[in-house]
Amino acid sequence: MTIVTFGLRKPENPTAIQSVTGSTAKSMEVDMFSIPDLIRKKRDGKVLSHEEIVEFVKAVSTGTIQDSQIGAMLMAIWLKGMVATETQTLTREMMASGDVLSWPEEWNGLMVDKHSTGGVGDKVSLVLAPALAACGCKVPMISGRGLAHTGGTLDKLESIRGFSIDQSAAQIKNILTSVGCCIVGQTQRLVPADRVLYAVRDATSTVDSLPLITGSIISKKGAESLCALVLDVKFGRAALYKDLESAKELAEMLVETGNGLGIRTGAVLSCMDSVIGRCVGNSLEVIESLETLKGKGPSDLMELVNTLGGMLLMMTGLAADVSEGEKKIRDAVIGGAALSKFQAMMEAQGVASETARHLCSAHTDYFTVLRRSEHQLELEAPEDGFIEDVDGLTLAEVLHQLGAGRSQAGQPVNHSVGAELLVEVGQRVKKGVPWLRLHYDSLAPTPDQMSRLQSALRQGPAAQTKGRLPLVRELLGKVSFT
C-alpha cells in the first residue's frame, strides 16, 4: 500500500504508516495459508482469522490466486456470511491493497463524501458535491459508471464536452485546493483488490452479499482518507433491496464498518420506487442538475441533497445539527454559490471556460453543448384520473435497452437517450395529455417497449391518490458532532 502525500510533508513517525498497513505487515510474519483450506473453512461456516483474510486479499492483489478460487471463496462468503470482525478486516485490507490518499493538515475535519447504492434519475452527487464545497468542505468524490438499470455519475458528467474523470492524485489535490470538490473515476492504484473482486462477483452472481458490498464501498471511501461519510441506502422497486428492513441491514453494516475504519459514518434510508426528479438519462440529468443549481430543482431531489448534505455538515461540526446543515446546503444552492463551484469544477476537469459559463448562465440552450437525441416522442395518459405512481424500474429498463445504459463494463452508452416525466404524483390529468417525453436515436422503441413504458404509469381516482411521500424514511449512525 502507498500513502499518497502529493510531494508534501511525509509522516515523521513511521508508526503512522504502520497504523494503516500494520495488518498487511503482520501478514508477512505468518506462514502462508493454503487457499483451498481457507475456502473450505469458510464453506463450512467457520470464522476466518485476521491473518487468513490478510493472506486472501494479498493473494488477490498480487495475482497469486486462481480466478476459480476467488469465485469459490466469494460464493462461500455469499452462502455463509461474515461476522463483523471478518468484514472489518476484509474492508481494511482491501483499502490497504493500493494507494491511500493523504491530505494537508489544514484540511483535517473537512474531507467528506457520499455514496448511493444506486437509483433511477439519481443525480444527487452533481448538486451535492459543489454545495458541500460552497459550505467549506473538501469533497474528493470518487464515483462509478452505470451498470444494469442504474445510471452512473461518471457517464452523466462525460456527456459534457471536455469533462475528464481521469485525474491523478496530484491533480485531485490541486482541484480540491482551487475549487473544493471534484468528481473522478477510480484510479488503477486505488483499491486494486476491489477491481478484481468486483469483476468476479459480477461473474459469479455474488454481487448482493452484504459483507462483499460493504467491503467494496467502504474500502474505496477509506482510501479517500475521509473524516465523514454519508451513505444513501435505497429500498423499493428500483433498488437492489426491495424492502426497508433488508436495506437497513446493509446500512447498519456499512455504518459499523465505516466507523470501525475511523470515518464518522452515517446513512440515510430512502425510497426508490419511481424517479428522482423528472429526468432519466445522462444528458437530461445534467440539465436537471444545472437547473437545480440555478434554484429551480424538483423537491424530491432537493430533499435528498439537503438531508445528505445536512448530515455531513453536522458530522464535521460545520453545523450544530442536521436542520442547520440542511439550511446551509439549501442556501448554497438557492444563492448560487454551489453553481459557481460546479462551473469551477468543470473548468478544472477539462471543460472549456466558455462552455462552462454557457451551461451555468441564467438563460441558455443546453443542447448547444449537450447532444440532443434525434427523436422525441410523447406518451399520452390513457384515461382521466390522478397520477398515483410511475414505475421507475420499468422506465429505466426500457431506456437501458435503447442505449442509455450498459450490460457489461466498458460498453459505450448513448448520452442523449432518456426520458422526461411531464407529470407528478397526485396531479390530475385528462385522457390524451402527455405524461412522458421519450428521447431516442436510431434504435427506436419496439411496440413491446412502448407497451411497457405505458404500463409504468398508474392512475386512479382522487379518493385513493396521495401526494408524494418523503423519500427519506430514516437516518442511521452518529447524528451529532462530539
Side-chain angles (χ1 to χ4, degrees), residues 1 3 10-11 13-22:
M1 182 201 67
I3 303 287
K10 294 184 178 180
N13 183 0
T15 59
I17 296 181
Q18 188 175 355
S19 67
V20 182
T21 63

Side-chain angles (χ1 to χ4, degrees), residues 186-198:
Q186 183 177 348
T187 70
Q188 291 295 311
R189 293 171 57 85
L190 193 74
V191 198
D194 177 63
R195 285 198 307 276
V196 176
L197 292 177
Y198 193 91

Side-chain angles (χ1 to χ4, degrees), residues 100-152:
V100 173
L101 303 177
S102 180
W103 311 109
E105 290 185 9
E106 58 267 29
W107 294 359
N108 287 348
L110 299 176
M111 307 303 303
V112 304
D113 199 358
K114 56 81 67 170
H115 176 83
S116 168
T117 56
V120 180
D122 188 353
K123 55 197 75 74
V124 169
S125 294
L126 277 65
V127 181
L128 180 59
L132 286 166
C135 292
C137 293
K138 299 293 185 181
V139 192
M141 189 172 285
I142 298 174
S143 297
R145 298 192 181 279
L147 194 61
H149 76 276
T150 59

Side-chain angles (χ1 to χ4, degrees), residues 400-430:
H400 175 269
Q401 293 166 0
L402 294 176
R406 58 173 61 84
S407 300
Q408 296 180 356
Q411 286 183 332
V413 299
N414 188 327
H415 293 107
S416 69
V417 172
E420 300 171 73
L421 282 178
L422 306 177
V423 297
E424 59 185 25
V425 173
Q427 179 181 338
R428 182 176 184 176
V429 297
K430 292 186 175 296

Side-chain angles (χ1 to χ4, degrees), residues 5-128:
T5 59
F6 309 111
L8 301 178
R9 181 180 63 83
K10 294 184 178 180
E12 297 174 1
N13 183 0
T15 59
I17 296 181
Q18 188 175 355
S19 67
V20 182
T21 63
S23 56
T24 302
K26 187 176 181 181
S27 71
M28 299 176 185
E29 301 170 3
V30 300
D31 294 334
M32 197 68 171
F33 294 95
S34 163
I35 294 298
D37 287 344
L38 301 188
I39 296 170
R40 185 181 303 110
K41 184 175 181 179
K42 177 48 65 179
R43 181 202 66 188
D44 294 342
K46 297 177 182 179
V47 175
L48 296 176
S49 70
H50 174 94
E51 292 79 12
E52 288 169 333
I53 295 173
V54 168
E55 287 298 332
F56 171 68
V57 176
K58 185 168 72 172
V60 170
S61 302
T62 58
T64 57
I65 183 175
Q66 300 173 27
D67 285 350
S68 60
Q69 292 175 319
I70 298 175
M73 177 64 86
L74 295 181
M75 183 57 72
I77 293 171
W78 186 89
L79 287 168
K80 300 299 182 179
M82 280 184 152
V83 300
T85 53
E86 287 180 294
T87 303
Q88 194 75 244
T89 301
L90 176 67
T91 303
R92 188 180 296 277
E93 291 307 310
M94 289 172 63
M95 178 193 80
S97 68
D99 290 348
V100 173
L101 303 177
S102 180
W103 311 109
E105 290 185 9
E106 58 267 29
W107 294 359
N108 287 348
L110 299 176
M111 307 303 303
V112 304
D113 199 358
K114 56 81 67 170
H115 176 83
S116 168
T117 56
V120 180
D122 188 353
K123 55 197 75 74
V124 169
S125 294
L126 277 65
V127 181
L128 180 59

Side-chain angles (χ1 to χ4, degrees), residues 120-122 124 232-235 244 268-277 298-305 307 425 468-475:
V120 180
D122 188 353
V124 169
D232 183 4
V233 181
K234 298 187 179 297
F235 67 94
L244 176 60
V268 168
L269 288 162
S270 66
C271 183
M272 188 68 252
D273 281 335
S274 184
V275 173
I276 299 173
S299 60
D300 57 347
L301 173 58
M302 283 306 301
E303 176 193 351
L304 288 171
V305 170
T307 302
V425 173
R468 185 188 69 83
L469 296 173
L471 294 183
V472 175
R473 301 298 168 84
E474 195 170 341
L475 307 183

